[in-house]
Amino acid sequence: MARIGRRGFVVGAAGALAALASAGDAAASSAAGATHGRHTAAREFRGMWLATVVNRDWPSRPALTAAQQRAELVAHLDTAVARKLNVVILQVRPTADALWPSPYEPWTEYLTGSQGQDPGWDPLGTAVCEAHRRDLELHAWFNPYRVAVHTDPSRLVENHPARVHPEWVLPYGGKLYYNPGIPEVRSFVQDAMMDAVHRYDIDGVHFDDYFYPYPVAGQVFEDDETYARYGAGFPDKAAWRRDNTDRLVREMVDRIKNSGKDIPFGISPFGVWRNAATDPLGSDTAAGVQTYDDLHADTRTWVKEGWIDYVIPQIYWHIGFPVADYARLLPWWNDVVQDTGVDLYAGEALYKAGDPAQPAPWQDPAELSRHLTLARTYEGVRGHCFFAAKEVMADRIGAMARVVADHYPTRVRPPD
């Protein structure tokens, strides 16, 4: 599978949507002197997430033909180039399934409408090839533990690992999850993910924010029996759960390194590790969810210990939001990555721009551009990632075009 080079750069771009690149270019050129900050002339991460779960971004619906699916995928890649992005984070394992011919898990239902049905092509292999032709990095995005967005195991294909090993699975909040406390589960999900690492010339491995599930009022994640079996030596269940998540991360790091592939491993956690009221090391926030306490993911330690290569905190709030102010969270994360060698990229809520359900700042096309302007004042911030591809393409109120005009006068390479 030929490609131009892992960190190569091409100014010109193929694709029917390349005309988008011209939008705002004149303004960008005239503003280049004013915005020519640390990142503009150097390398920076300019990414977008491309979500496949429940057909969020792609394919637009299940049961399209292979040609239609491929055409939609290529259109997203062309849009990324037109917007002067350089990384696409493609969700390739949304629900204990696969967007490649995996020997471990079935084909995802989001391709054909039927789990386990061969779509007639290799989406991940095609995505890697087509991304590289456009000088885009392709990071493979895996969700480790989510099995289904329903609680009925009989809806899974008969040979699904969750049906073969029902003792691995717990229902919670209307979904099915693998139990992170079972060592065999951790080993299996790593095997399933590493199959893609071994097979394909991907440019990165990416986890999102789902480890233990987000809390649901009135419901309990029933892992008492697992804790009784494996939790000896821990002061409480929460500490044991955090250790389980730590083990997943550390073991995945080791397996990627041992694969012989020189690719980064990054995670995009919920934006708040802990509130300062909970922990003096935490951020000046009052968030209702804290990853350390609620998702049992000690994201700050992963950075401080240098276990991961990059972190993309989902700082999905506007500047001035009282509960979780972007302008307060960004410097907190900047301080966390200092002297760690871990790259910091800010996760941006493009999906909120122009959403009538969102507060007034999100109705302003300049809100996201202000985020990037602020980020240029922090040495540790090496780029941004936008959620998600559907909004990068539609750009409801022109917020993405404003980012491009104000901050992306030319394409640049991602960080090494």
Side-chain angles (χ1 to χ4, degrees), residues 13 23 72 74 81 83 105 115 129 170 222 242 277 280 289 356 374 391 408 410:
E72 286 191 351
V74 167
V81 172
R83 300 296 193 191
E105 294 175 311
Q115 189 176 69
C129 181
L170 292 172
E222 298 285 0
R242 279 191 295 276
V289 172
L374 177 65
E391 287 77 17
Y408 298 164
T410 63

Side-chain angles (χ1 to χ4, degrees), residues 6 52 65 80 123 165 168 193 257 300 329 348 381 413:
R6 183 167 184 271
T52 58
T65 67
H165 298 281
W168 287 2
M193 295 184 287
K257 289 179 179 177
R300 182 179 180 276
L329 272 168
E348 303 289 350
V381 184
R413 300 169 183 171

Side-chain angles (χ1 to χ4, degrees), residues 167-236:
E167 71 279 7
W168 287 2
V169 181
L170 292 172
Y172 182 78
K175 299 179 177 66
L176 292 174
Y177 295 91
Y178 283 132
N179 185 344
I182 300 175
E184 292 82 4
V185 164
R186 288 199 307 274
S187 178
F188 172 78
V189 300
Q190 290 167 29
D191 288 343
M193 295 184 287
M194 287 301 300
D195 182 64
V197 175
H198 290 299
R199 287 192 190 210
Y200 298 99
D201 188 20
I202 60 175
D203 299 290
V205 173
H206 185 87
F207 285 0
D208 56 20
D209 52 322
Y210 289 91
F211 296 98
Y212 278 85
Y214 278 82
V216 177
Q219 297 196 28
V220 177
F221 193 70
E222 298 285 0
D223 60 351
D224 284 350
E225 182 179 336
T226 314
Y227 176 48
R229 183 175 180 181
Y230 297 107
F234 291 92
D236 52 39

Side-chain angles (χ1 to χ4, degrees), residues 327-358:
R328 294 180 179 179
L329 272 168
L330 190 70
W332 185 87
W333 280 104
N334 182 74
D335 290 343
V336 169
V337 301
Q338 187 174 1
D339 299 324
T340 64
V342 176
D343 285 333
L344 169 62
Y345 316 131
E348 303 289 350
L350 177 62
Y351 73 97
K352 289 186 176 181
D355 180 349
Q358 297 297 328

Side-chain angles (χ1 to χ4, degrees), residues 86-384:
N86 51 29
V87 180
V88 173
I89 301 176
L90 173 64
Q91 190 176 34
V92 300
R93 186 179 180 269
T95 51
D97 48 17
L99 271 81
W100 75 96
S102 168
Y104 295 94
E105 294 175 311
W107 283 104
T108 180
E109 66 182 291
Y110 304 124
L111 292 170
T112 64
S114 299
Q115 189 176 69
Q117 182 176 333
D118 189 331
W121 66 303
D122 181 354
L124 176 53
T126 301
V128 170
C129 181
E130 294 295 335
H132 292 170
R133 285 180 57 193
R134 291 159 175 79
D135 258 346
L136 292 165
E137 288 194 359
L138 197 289
H139 291 214
W141 165 14
F142 304 93
N143 186 290
Y145 293 128
R146 183 173 57 207
V147 173
V149 293
H150 57 76
T151 57
D152 183 0
S154 70
R155 290 172 56 184
L156 304 174
V157 291
E158 188 174 357
N159 63 346
H160 194 291
R163 293 188 67 176
V164 175
H165 298 281
E167 71 279 7
W168 287 2
V169 181
L170 292 172
Y172 182 78
K175 299 179 177 66
L176 292 174
Y177 295 91
Y178 283 132
N179 185 344
I182 300 175
E184 292 82 4
V185 164
R186 288 199 307 274
S187 178
F188 172 78
V189 300
Q190 290 167 29
D191 288 343
M193 295 184 287
M194 287 301 300
D195 182 64
V197 175
H198 290 299
R199 287 192 190 210
Y200 298 99
D201 188 20
I202 60 175
D203 299 290
V205 173
H206 185 87
F207 285 0
D208 56 20
D209 52 322
Y210 289 91
F211 296 98
Y212 278 85
Y214 278 82
V216 177
Q219 297 196 28
V220 177
F221 193 70
E222 298 285 0
D223 60 351
D224 284 350
E225 182 179 336
T226 314
Y227 176 48
R229 183 175 180 181
Y230 297 107
F234 291 92
D236 52 39
K237 187 194 286 187
W240 168 74
R241 284 178 170 177
R242 279 191 295 276
D243 182 72
N244 292 331
T245 311
D246 285 349
R247 287 174 184 268
L248 172 72
V249 172
R250 291 201 310 270
E251 290 165 5
M252 196 66 186
V253 168
D254 289 342
R255 294 188 66 164
I256 293 168
K257 289 179 179 177
N258 292 335
S259 73
K261 298 288 188 74
D262 182 20
I263 57 175
F265 175 39
I267 296 178
S268 56
F270 179 75
V272 176
W273 170 71
R274 299 189 95 184
N275 298 317
T278 305
D279 188 321
L281 295 176
S283 52
D284 184 12
T285 51
V289 172
Q290 303 169 91
T291 59
Y292 182 93
D293 304 273
D294 297 308
L295 306 182
H296 308 287
D298 190 0
T299 53
R300 182 179 180 276
T301 290
W302 304 344
V303 173
K304 288 296 188 184
E305 295 297 323
W307 294 347
I308 59 179
D309 297 297
Y310 69 79
V311 63
I312 313 181
Q314 298 175 25
I315 315 178
Y316 285 175
W317 303 284
H318 61 265
I319 294 173
F321 183 52
V323 172
D325 188 343
Y326 184 96
R328 294 180 179 179
L329 272 168
L330 190 70
W332 185 87
W333 280 104
N334 182 74
D335 290 343
V336 169
V337 301
Q338 187 174 1
D339 299 324
T340 64
V342 176
D343 285 333
L344 169 62
Y345 316 131
E348 303 289 350
L350 177 62
Y351 73 97
K352 289 186 176 181
D355 180 349
Q358 297 297 328
W362 290 109
Q363 311 312 315
D364 182 353
E367 173 65 24
L368 284 183
S369 180
R370 285 192 286 267
H371 291 195
L372 273 70
T373 299
L374 177 65
R376 291 189 188 283
T377 66
Y378 292 99
E379 194 67 27
V381 184
R382 302 200 66 196
H384 302 261

